[in-house]
Amino acid sequence: MNILKVKNIRKVYNPENKNTQVVALEDISFEVEKGEFVAIMGESGSGKSTLLNLIATLDSQTSGDIILAGENTKDKKDKDKARFRREKLGFVYQDFSLLNSLNNRDNIFLPLVLANTNYQEMEERIAPIARKLKIENLLDKFPYQVSGGQKQRIAVARAIITNPQLLLADEPTGALDSNSSMELLNIFEEINKSGQTILMVTHSTMAASRASRVLFIKDGKIFYDLYKGDMTRDEMYEKLVKSQMMILGGGKDFE
Ligand SMILES: Nc1ncnc2c1ncn2[C@@H]1O[C@H](COP(=O)(O)OP(=O)(O)OP(=O)(O)O)[C@@H](O)[C@H]1O
Ligand SMILES: [Mg+2]
């Protein structure tokens, strides 16, 4: 069963002005099956965040279709999109996007509060997540009182507490040191093993080597679609390095 189907997506910024228009995505198609952990790689400016924002219904494509959790996102009215996002999607960003005025527990509760969930259910939901993410003793602290790696674990807790159909992450390890990055990727692997579908944009070959599949974007198109299959993490890493050298070189014959 696919959670996400992206069909012939094209995105042009400033289409009305020939001098300033940017074709960020030319023609992108792919599907994500339930339970997959997909990484999207590509050079800076290749359109990764643009693609994620379209899937997240934060922006609209110029043409093409995005079918998410069985619904075509372009049929959604603006006023229904916030709710759709809240119910179906979880988000993790490079800069954590936590509110410093709320303690960590209330940051995690935020999407549930917006959905009018009662307090008892919020408590029941947070307990196993806090245990899994090893943030139990951080819940009463505020974001500014914890480390970057800890902040990102709080942000992941907030993203998954609604049981989203799809977890979207844009450079989730971008602001983390190597140890915290490892920890975060371990968590992504673990929640993926328990069934969470993940779509993660990353520059990091190390991060991408944890995914079950890696899509490379180049010149507004999917250039390469690599499945990890039986490869170990190290083998996948090596394959990714070779693929990137190939892509930079522009050739195609590199199996
Ligand atoms: N709001 C916008 N208006 C006009 N052009 C934009 C806008 N957002 C992005 N672009 C352009 O679209 C292209 C793709 O940008 P995007 O941010 O999606 O790239 P990216 O792959 O996420 O890059 P990075 O790895 O640096 O984050 C770039 O040329 C960028 O300058
Ligand atoms: Mg980006």
Side-chain angles (χ1 to χ4, degrees), residues 13-14 22 24 43-50 171 203:
Y13 289 107
N14 307 328
V22 178
E43 285 181 62
S44 184
S46 60
K48 304 181 296 297
S49 296
T50 299
E171 300 283 1
H203 272 119

Side-chain angles (χ1 to χ4, degrees), residues 3-51:
I3 293 275
L4 173 69
K5 185 169 185 168
V6 174
K7 243 167 70 183
N8 303 116
I9 284 297
R10 178 176 171 81
K11 173 66 180 176
V12 184
Y13 289 107
N14 307 328
E16 65 290 338
N17 185 335
K18 277 249 175 309
N19 294 320
T20 57
Q21 71 170 231
V22 178
V23 182
L25 299 171
E26 182 89 44
D27 184 10
I28 299 273
S29 299
F30 64 95
E31 293 178 21
V32 174
E33 298 292 317
K34 188 170 164 46
E36 274 193 302
F37 177 5
V38 179
I40 296 180
M41 295 193 86
E43 285 181 62
S44 184
S46 60
K48 304 181 296 297
S49 296
T50 299
L51 178 60

